[in-house]
Amino acid sequence: MEKSNRSTAWNAEHNDNYLDSIDNYDLWRLFFVSQSAVGRLRDLELSAIGVTPEQSGALFLLATNQGKSTIAEMADAWLRQRNSVSTLIDRMAKQGLVRKIKIPRQKDLEIEITPRGLELLDRIKNTGRVFDMVFGELEEKERRQFAEYLREILVRARRRLDDQKNLA
């Protein structure tokens, strides 16, 4: 049985020649596996303080929006379904990390970070060794280039998603 060339991106860390013939599917797999590996490391780091990456993301998003947002805004920012964001917010509200506030004459709720949520956010900000370990060895020029590539991928993907919404 002939071995498939499709394994190159999965085994990129063991194969210095993986870029010799990388197609878009290989690039996707490398991106996916890299994101999964860094995400798993971050998950382990955050679990030590009793928080999930999703909760961490919600607290950071709220903090960057003067402590408030709506479920619709959060769903749009994360490209998630409103019901999955709503479920996350319900759990966080039960933990006292956020407060849900009814907006008069609107369906959506305003989500506000609580003092307890701010305390947890401070603890989260004291983590991040994973980022230092993974990205810390990149030179500033490499870091900027990487960020530019990721931003471009995000912009293109969002554009395609918007096109799909407009077709529906």
Side-chain angles (χ1 to χ4, degrees), residues 24 27 79 148-164:
N24 288 337
L27 194 58
L79 301 171
E148 287 175 20
Y149 289 145
L150 289 175
R151 183 181 179 281
E152 186 60 31
I153 290 167
L154 177 60
V155 166
R156 289 179 187 195
R158 275 191 177 273
R159 192 176 307 132
R160 299 303 181 286
L161 288 168
D162 288 344
D163 291 346
Q164 291 298 313

Side-chain angles (χ1 to χ4, degrees), residues 38 42 45 127-137 143:
V38 174
R42 182 64 172 159
E45 183 175 51
T127 66
R129 289 184 311 277
V130 165
F131 302 139
D132 294 338
M133 288 185 287
V134 175
F135 302 120
E137 292 185 28
R143 189 186 319 269

Side-chain angles (χ1 to χ4, degrees), residues 54 71 74-75 78-92:
E54 293 79 13
I71 290 175
M74 294 172 90
W78 293 334
L79 301 171
R80 292 306 237 323
Q81 296 294 320
R82 285 177 57 128
N83 63 335
S84 66
V85 174
S86 183
T87 300
L88 171 68
I89 295 303
D90 286 344
R91 280 183 298 191
M92 292 177 72

